[in-house]
């Protein structure tokens, strides 16, 4: 049975991915996560007893911790979700993004190279254990911002606008360099905005739900007409599985949804679903460097693997809102003291 190390598995997409893997694939899973403010062991409480699952608290920027886990669990694949992920926090504290997303990615790559290489001491060796794979989970934000027309393709220029996006682009470029220089069997995926269960309430959709449930105002940046290309998280997970199995080494694959929606429409729709008034909407100062529009062309992934999203935006949003309503305790625990302090600083 293959062993997949999921880094950042206690976060939003990572925990959904672990659930997806254990349900749909015959693999063992090692969840390697530093448990930052965004990491939550509650997300995986229901699989803790599964014999195919193990959790290790560790930092991808710590080579000794990473190498120890690779050796102990005889890891065949790494799917790297571990990152600082919130654009607004990257404006407040860019250094943390450099450490986790650039240096962390490089250290992880180096540990993988050494552990999987057939001659670890020889930097010219391009031979690795059979079947090993490194998947870098990246983002559409590395391409920057679009106007009203067009979509990002894999060969669109890299033009990040926020410290978060720049740090993710830096990570991607290290993956490319490890493929080219050392022949490391790696693939990069770039996905659009995800939504679904277990998303930390700093992000737009869970923030709307949390604030609306507490009858608090919903902060909408600028004119609220920025457009995001939403994808239900389970569809992202199924795309990543396809890439793990069928992706071509050295390639980049875009992953995206079929829906483009303005922030204001998203806020109005969620308020309607929760039976809350639009008077809760409060327009606030725009995010500096705010990207206007994202849209992903995922023709390449569909052509290589046949993948396309199963959930419409409406169906995914309905499931998401229902999940948060059924898991209010999870939401209240996630929205802890650190989160309340962050919100006060960000929004007042
Ligand atoms: P998240 O913030 O919910 O979770 C990140 C997880 O990484 C947390 O569990 C945290 O503890 C862990 N982590 C952070 N730094 C770490 C480190 N140095 N070592 C080990 N673990 C560390 O993030 P998410 O929204 O689930 O995003 C996961 C990945 O997917 C990220 O790489 C992100 O860039 C990418 N991505 C996210 C989206 C999205 O819409 N959320 C879209 C495209 C790509
Ligand atoms: O596109 C993929 C990216 O999507 C991921 O790489 C990031 O990790 C993820 O955080 C997300 O980035 P965004 O900045 O697009 O997501 P966020 O939920 O922060 O914001 C979505 C949109 O809503 C964006 O245009 C900013 C706006 N917004 C956000 C917040 C938190 C508001 O108007 N008000 C808010 O309070």
């Amino acid at each position: 049975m293959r062993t997949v190390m999921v880094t950042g598995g206690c976060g939003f997409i990572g925990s959904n991915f672990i659930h997806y893997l254990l349900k749909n694939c015959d693999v063992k899973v090692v969840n390697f996560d530093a448990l930052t403010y965004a990491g939550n062991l509650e997300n995986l409480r229901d699989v803790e007893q599964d014999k195919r699952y193990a959790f290790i608290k560790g930092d991808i920027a710590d080579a000794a911790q990473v190498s120890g886990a690779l050796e102990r669990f005889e890891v065949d694949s790494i799917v790297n979700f571990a990152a600082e992920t919130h654009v607004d926090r990257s404006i407040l504290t860019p250094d943390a993004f450099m450490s986790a997303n650039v240096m962390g990615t490089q250290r992880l790559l180096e540990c993988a190279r050494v552990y999987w290489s057939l001659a670890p001491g020889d930097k010219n060796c391009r031979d690795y254990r059979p079947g090993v794979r490194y998947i870098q989970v990246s983002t559409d934000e590395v391409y920057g911002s679009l106007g009203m027309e067009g979509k990002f393709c894999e060969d669109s220029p890299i033009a990040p606008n926020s410290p978060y996006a720049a740090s993710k682009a830096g990570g991607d470029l290290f993956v490319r360099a490890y493929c080219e220089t050392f022949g490391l069997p790696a693939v990069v995926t770039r996905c659009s905005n995800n939504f679904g269960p277990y998303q930390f309430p700093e992000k737009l959709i869970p923030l709307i739900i949390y604030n609306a449930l507490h009858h608090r105002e919903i902060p909408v940046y600028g004119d609220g007409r920025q457009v995001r290309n939403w994808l239900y998280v389970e569809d992202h997970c199924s795309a990543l599985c396809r890439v793990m199995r069928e992706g071509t080494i050295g390639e980049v694959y875009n992953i995206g949804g079929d829906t483009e929606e303005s922030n204001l429409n998203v806020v109005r729709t969620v308020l309607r679903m929760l039976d809350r008034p639009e008077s809760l909407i409060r327009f606030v100062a725009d995010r500096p460097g705010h990207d206007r529009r994202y849209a992903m062309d995922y023709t390449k992934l569909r052509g290589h693997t046949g993948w396309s999203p199963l959930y419409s935006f409406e169906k995914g949003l309905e499931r998401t809102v229902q999940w948060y309503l059924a898991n209010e305790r999870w939401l209240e625990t996630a929205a802890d003291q650190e989160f309340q302090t962050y919100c006060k600083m960000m929004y007042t």
Side-chain angles (χ1 to χ4, degrees), residues 12-13 83-88 97 137-142 162 164-165 168 190-194 199-208 211 218-230 261-264 266-267 282 284-287 290-294 296 342 346-347:
F12 162 47
I13 310 175
E84 290 294 334
T85 62
H86 193 37
V87 174
D88 294 325
F97 288 71
V137 181
S138 189
T139 169
D140 56 4
E141 302 206 9
V142 301
S162 69
Y164 163 69
K168 289 299 289 184
R190 297 189 177 130
C191 190
S192 60
N193 282 67
N194 283 217
Q199 188 167 30
F200 191 78
E202 66 191 351
K203 306 286 168 38
L204 181 67
I205 289 178
L207 182 74
I208 304 168
N211 282 8
I218 318 294
V220 173
Y221 298 157
D223 62 6
R225 301 198 187 281
Q226 304 82 5
V227 169
R228 294 293 181 266
N229 180 195
W230 294 98
E261 203 61 72
S262 75
N263 294 339
L264 204 48
V266 172
V267 175
R282 181 164 65 95
V284 299
D286 207 351
R287 173 187 275 176
H290 199 173
D291 288 333
R292 196 68 183 166
R293 175 173 164 260
Y294 305 138
M296 290 300 253
Y342 165 78
M346 262 303 290
Y347 298 113

Side-chain angles (χ1 to χ4, degrees), residues 68-82:
L70 292 176
E71 280 164 29
R72 178 171 159 206
F73 292 98
E74 300 181 0
V75 169
D76 308 287
S77 304
I78 299 173
V79 186
N80 181 27
F81 294 92

Side-chain angles (χ1 to χ4, degrees), residues 128-190:
Y128 294 90
R129 300 179 193 205
V132 297
R133 281 284 180 290
Y134 177 102
I135 313 287
Q136 175 75 359
V137 181
S138 189
T139 169
D140 56 4
E141 302 206 9
V142 301
Y143 298 122
S145 186
L146 288 167
M148 297 300 283
E149 300 292 319
K151 292 187 175 191
F152 294 125
C153 304
E154 286 79 358
D155 54 7
S156 297
I158 300 295
N161 291 320
S162 69
Y164 163 69
S167 68
K168 289 299 289 184
D172 290 13
L173 296 181
F174 264 103
V175 177
R176 180 191 154 87
Y178 268 71
C179 280
E180 294 293 322
T181 305
F182 304 115
L184 189 78
V187 180
V188 174
T189 61
R190 297 189 177 130

